[in-house]
C-alpha cells in the first residue's frame, strides 16, 4: 500500500479540525483566515506561514487523502466535487465541474498547466489598466511555481485518445503540442479526476498545505464560510457554519473567526457569493458580474480499434492553432484538448436516451472525444455571466449564451469533426441532442453547418470558472487592485481565479498559482513589516 503523507502528518500533530465533530460554538483568532484550500488558498497558506504568521484555513468540503482515492466515480463525485459534479448554470445549459474538498479543484483536476497567454496579459494591461501584469513581471512567479509543483512537459507517449487528436491534426497541417503537467513519478493511470491514489499529482493536498500545517497552520474542514461581518472599512470576523458528516446539512457548531486579515480563495462563484451574502461594500455593484467560463463543447467519434480513453494520462496533447489564428477581440477562438472518458462521466454527458444511448455505451472502449475551450470575455459582446444567490444563500451562475458563443461553437464542432475523420474515425457526432452523427466528412461538414444550436440542445460543459471579483486599475472598473486587495475593505484580499477580468484561453491553475504567489508575498510583506519574501 502507498504511503499517505497527509495522514502521516496528522499522526505527527498537524492541526486539523473536522467541524462536523464539534458540538458547540467557538470563537477563534489568527493573523490571517483563508477561505478555501485550493490553488489560491494553498499557495497563500504556504507563503504566509513561511513568514511566521498564524494562519487558519477554512474548507467547506471534507478532507480526503490518497488512502481514500480508489479510482471509483461513485465515491469521487459526491465526496470531492461541488454539487456531486452536477453544478450547473441557472438555465442548466452548462455543467460545471469544481472541486469541493481539501485541496479544491487541484485535488481532482487533470493536471494541465499553462502560463497565462501573453495575448491575454496584454489585453488586461490595455483594456483593464493592469499595467504591472506583464509577461516579464509574472515570469519569475510562474517559474517559481513550476519548480515548486514539478510542472513540466509530459515525457510519456500519449494514450490512444490523445494520439488520435495529434494524428488527425497532423494530416490537416494543424500544429499540436505535448501538455505540461504538475506530476511527479506519475503512474499514467488516467484517473486524476477522482483524486490521485499514488501521490503523483502535485496538488495543494500534497504540497503547499502540508508545509503550512507543519508550520503551525490550522485546517478546518466541513466548515462553510457564511458571511463576513464588517466594522467600518474592515472585516470584524468571519461567521462560519459547521456541516454535518454528510457535508450538506448544518452541524452543531457555529464559529466566529477573527483575524488581522481575511483572504478569500473559494474560487469564482463561491468567493463572489460570500461577498454577496455579506453585503460587502461595492458602490459600483460589480460583485459577481463578468464571471467567465471557457464554454466547452465536445465532439465524439467511434474508431474500429479500441481507444480505451479511460486509461493513461488524461490530457497530454493540445492545439492552440484556433486561438493564435484569430484576433483576441474578434470571433471567439478555441483551444483543443482531449478529455478522459470514464463510464459515469461518459453516460451523463452523452446525448440521447434509451436504445440509442445503450448502443453508444456498448462501444465505450472505441470512443474518442475532443473538446474545444472557447475563449470568452474579449469580444465586444462577451459579457460573461453573473453570480447571484438563491433564497437559501447558495450561489447560482447565470450565463447567457449569445451569438458570438454559438458562432464559436459551430466553428469548433466543424474543426473537431474534420480532425477526427482525418484520424480515421468511422462515425462522428457532436454531443448534441438532435445530431444524427455522420460516417464521412462531407456529410458531417454539411450537417454541422446546418445544425440547430441552442441551450440544452447542444451540450456544454466547463471546468474553468473565472471572474466575478475582477481586478482593475480603479474601483469604478473592478473590485480589487492588481495585488488582490479589495478596493473598499482594508483587510480583505481575494486570491483565486475570480480576480481575472476575462477568461484566459488556457487551463487556469498555473495562472492562479503564479499570480497568487506574487500577491501572497506582497501581503506577507505588508502584514509582517518585512521586505517582500524572495521568490519561493
Amino acid at each position: 500500500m502507498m504511503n499517505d503523507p497527509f495522514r502521516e502528518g496528522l499522526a505527527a500533530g498537524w492541526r486539523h479540525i473536522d467541524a462536523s465533530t464539534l458540538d458547540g460554538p467557538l470563537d477563534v483568532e489568527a493573523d490571517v483566515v483563508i477561505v478555501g484550500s485550493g490553488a489560491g488558498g494553498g499557495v497563500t497558506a504556504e507563503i504566509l506561514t513561511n513568514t511566521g504568521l498564524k494562519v487558519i484555513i477554512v474548507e467547506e468540503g471534507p478532507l480526503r487523502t490518497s488512502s481514500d482515492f480508489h479510482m471509483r466515480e461513485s465515491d469521487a463525485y459526491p465526496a470531492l466535487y461541488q454539487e456531486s459534479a452536477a453544478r450547473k448554470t441557472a438555465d442548466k445549459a452548462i455543467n460545471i465541474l469544481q472541486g469541493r474538498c481539501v485541496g479544491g479543484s487541484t485535488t481532482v483536476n487533470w493536471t494541465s498547466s499553462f502560463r497565462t497567454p501573453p495575448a491575454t496579459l496584454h489585453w488586461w494591461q490595455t483594456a483593464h489598466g493592469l499595467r504591472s501584469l506583464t509577461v516579464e513581471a509574472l515570469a519569475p512567479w510562474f517559474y517559481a511555481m513550476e519548480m515548486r509543483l514539478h510542472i513540466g512537459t509530459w515525457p510519456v507517449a500519449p494514450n490512444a485518445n490523445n494520439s488520435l487528436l495529434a494524428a488527425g491534426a497532423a494530416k490537416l497541417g494543424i500544429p499540436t503540442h505535448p501538455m505540461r503537467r504538475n506530476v511527479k513519478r506519475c503512474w499514467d493511470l488516467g484517473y486524476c479526476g477522482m483524486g490521485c491514489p499514488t501521490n503523483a499529482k502535485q496538488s495543494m493536498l500534497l504540497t503547499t498545505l502540508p508545509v503550512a500545517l507543519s508550520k503551525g497552520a490550522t485546517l478546518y474542514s466541513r466548515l462553510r464560510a457564511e458571511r463576513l461581518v464588517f466594522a467600518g472599512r474592515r472585516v470584524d470576523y468571519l461567521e462560519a457554519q459547521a456541516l454535518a458528516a454528510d457535508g450538506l446539512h448544518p452541524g452543531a457548531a457555529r464559529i466566529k473567526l477573527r483575524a488581522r486579515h481575511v483572504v478569500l480563495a473559494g474560487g469564482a462563484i463561491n468567493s463572489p457569493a460570500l461577498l454577496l451574502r455579506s453585503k460587502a461594500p461595492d458602490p459600483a455593484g460589480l460583485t459577481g458580474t463578468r464571471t467567465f467560463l471557457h464554454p466547452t463543447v465536445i465532439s465524439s467519434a467511434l474508431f474500429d480499434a479500441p481507444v480505451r480513453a479511460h486509461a493513461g494520462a488524461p490530457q497530454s496533447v493540445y492545439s492552440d492553432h484556433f486561438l493564435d489564428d484569430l484576433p483576441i477581440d474578434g470571433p471567439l477562438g478555441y483551444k483543443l484538448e482531449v478529455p478522459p472518458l470514464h463510464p459515469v462521466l461518459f453516460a451523463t454527458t452523452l446525448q440521447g436516451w434509451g436504445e440509442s444511448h445503450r448502443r453508444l455505451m456498448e462501444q465505450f472502449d472505441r470512443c474518442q472525444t475532443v473538446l474545444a475551450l472557447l475563449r470568452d470575455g474579449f469580444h465586444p459582446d462577451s459579457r460573461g455571466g453573473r453570480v447571484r444567490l438563491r433564497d437559501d444563500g447558495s450561489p447560482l451562475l447565470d450565463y447567457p449564451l449569445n451569438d458570438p458563443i454559438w458562432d464559436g461553437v459551430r466553428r469548433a464542432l466543424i474543426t473537431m469533426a474534420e480532425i477526427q475523420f482525418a484520424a480515421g474515425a468511422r462515425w462522428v457526432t457532436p454531443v448534441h441532442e438532435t445530431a444524427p452523427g455522420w460516417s464521412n466528412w462531407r456529410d458531417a461538414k454539411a450537417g454541422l453547418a446546418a445544425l440547430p444550436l441552442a441551450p440544452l440542445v447542444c451540450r456544454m460543459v466547463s471546468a474553468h470558472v473565472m471572474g466575478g471579483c475582477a481586478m482593475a486599475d480603479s474601483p469604478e472598473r473592478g473590485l480589487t487592485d492588481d495585488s488582490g486587495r479589495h478596493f473598499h475593505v482594508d483587510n480583505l484580499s481575494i486570491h483565486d481565479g475570480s480576480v481575472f477580468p476575462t477568461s484566459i484561453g488556457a487551463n487556469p491553475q498555473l495562472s492562479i498559482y503564479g499570480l497568487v504567489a506574487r500577491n501572497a508575498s506582497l501581503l506577507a510583506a505588508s502584514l509582517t513589516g518585512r521586505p517582500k519574501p524572495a521568490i519561493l
Side-chain angles (χ1 to χ4, degrees), residues 304-514:
D304 289 326
V307 177
R308 301 182 71 245
H310 63 283
Q315 291 184 321
S316 54
V317 174
Y318 74 95
S319 177
D320 280 347
H321 177 72
F322 299 95
L323 289 175
D324 298 339
D325 212 35
L326 290 169
I328 196 166
D329 57 346
L332 271 61
Y334 44 90
K335 186 183 197 79
L336 299 180
E337 295 178 344
V338 175
L341 296 182
H342 298 283
V344 173
L345 188 64
F346 184 66
T348 55
T349 305
L350 199 63
Q351 74 274 21
W353 59 88
E355 180 63 21
S356 65
H357 195 277
R358 183 187 67 80
R359 286 197 304 269
L360 287 172
M361 288 301 298
E362 285 180 337
Q363 300 179 84
F364 171 72
D365 71 330
R366 295 172 187 269
C367 185
Q368 189 266 351
T369 56
V370 180
L371 58 77
L373 308 169
L374 270 68
R375 179 176 59 190
D376 201 9
F378 303 87
H379 187 281
D381 293 331
S382 288
R383 299 178 181 87
R386 180 166 194 150
V387 175
R388 58 180 173 86
L389 301 178
R390 298 184 179 94
D391 291 343
D392 65 357
S394 63
L396 190 61
L397 175 62
D398 286 308
Y399 208 90
L401 297 171
N402 58 10
D403 288 344
I405 291 177
W406 290 123
D407 170 69
V409 165
R410 191 178 303 279
R411 287 183 286 107
L413 292 176
I414 291 171
T415 293
M416 291 187 288
E418 184 177 15
I419 289 171
Q420 288 169 317
F421 278 117
R426 60 178 169 84
W427 186 78
V428 172
T429 183
V431 179
H432 184 286
E433 291 299 330
T434 67
W438 300 276
S439 59
N440 63 78
W441 165 233
R442 185 190 64 185
D443 290 347
K445 184 177 181 180
L448 288 167
L451 193 68
L453 297 177
L456 302 175
V457 176
C458 181
R459 293 285 187 96
M460 202 171 287
V461 299
S462 185
H464 307 154
V465 190
M466 298 148 282
C469 300
M471 299 180 286
D473 57 351
S474 73
E476 292 75 32
R477 301 210 300 166
L479 208 61
T480 74
D481 64 18
D482 66 14
S483 69
R485 298 292 288 260
H486 197 286
F487 278 124
H488 309 289
V489 184
D490 294 337
N491 64 335
L492 179 63
S493 295
I494 303 176
H495 287 185
D496 59 28
S498 69
V499 300
F500 296 166
T502 62
S503 78
I504 63 170
N507 308 59
Q509 71 164 345
L510 180 52
S511 291
I512 297 171
Y513 292 145

Side-chain angles (χ1 to χ4, degrees), residues 12-160:
W14 291 355
R15 290 200 287 267
H16 164 244
I17 298 169
D18 181 343
S20 70
T21 66
L22 299 174
D23 58 8
L26 289 177
D27 200 324
V28 297
E29 293 189 16
D31 293 315
V32 181
V33 168
I34 302 170
V35 179
S37 63
V43 171
T44 300
E46 179 178 44
I47 289 173
L48 296 187
T49 54
N50 274 337
T51 65
L53 292 164
K54 181 181 179 182
V55 170
I56 292 175
I57 306 159
V58 175
E59 171 56 52
E60 179 180 282
L63 172 62
R64 296 285 186 270
T65 66
S66 57
S67 299
D68 303 304
F69 301 147
H70 304 300
M71 305 194 306
R72 288 195 292 263
E73 292 175 281
S74 58
D75 294 337
Y77 298 154
L80 305 178
Y81 286 80
Q82 292 284 352
E83 302 176 38
S84 297
R87 173 169 272 186
K88 299 182 186 298
T89 51
D91 62 359
K92 299 183 172 34
I94 307 177
N95 196 63
I96 302 171
L97 296 177
Q98 282 185 298
R100 182 184 184 255
C101 56
V102 173
S105 292
T106 75
T107 299
V108 295
N109 69 24
W110 297 337
T111 77
S112 306
S113 302
F114 297 90
R115 295 187 181 191
T116 313
T120 299
L121 290 176
H122 179 71
W123 181 265
W124 291 358
Q125 294 158 38
T126 56
H128 298 275
L130 302 171
R131 301 194 181 282
S132 63
L133 300 185
T134 64
V135 172
E136 295 75 20
L138 287 176
W141 299 102
F142 287 138
Y143 177 78
M145 295 311 298
E146 288 161 353
M147 295 300 100
R148 174 71 183 90
L149 302 176
H150 211 264
I151 291 171
T153 300
W154 179 236
V156 178
N159 64 5

Side-chain angles (χ1 to χ4, degrees), residues 158-180:
N159 64 5
N161 199 29
N162 284 268
S163 294
L164 288 166
L165 168 61
K171 286 187 178 180
L172 299 172
I174 298 168
T176 60
H177 304 280
M179 191 73 73
R180 301 176 78 223

Side-chain angles (χ1 to χ4, degrees), residues 257-293:
L257 299 109
R258 305 176 190 275
R260 293 166 54 199
H261 202 89
V262 174
V263 175
L264 302 189
I269 297 182
N270 295 329
S271 288
L274 176 55
L275 293 173
L276 290 170
R277 285 196 300 273
S278 307
K279 297 181 171 53
D282 177 16
L286 298 174
T287 304
T289 64
R290 288 187 62 81
T291 300
F292 287 102
L293 304 172

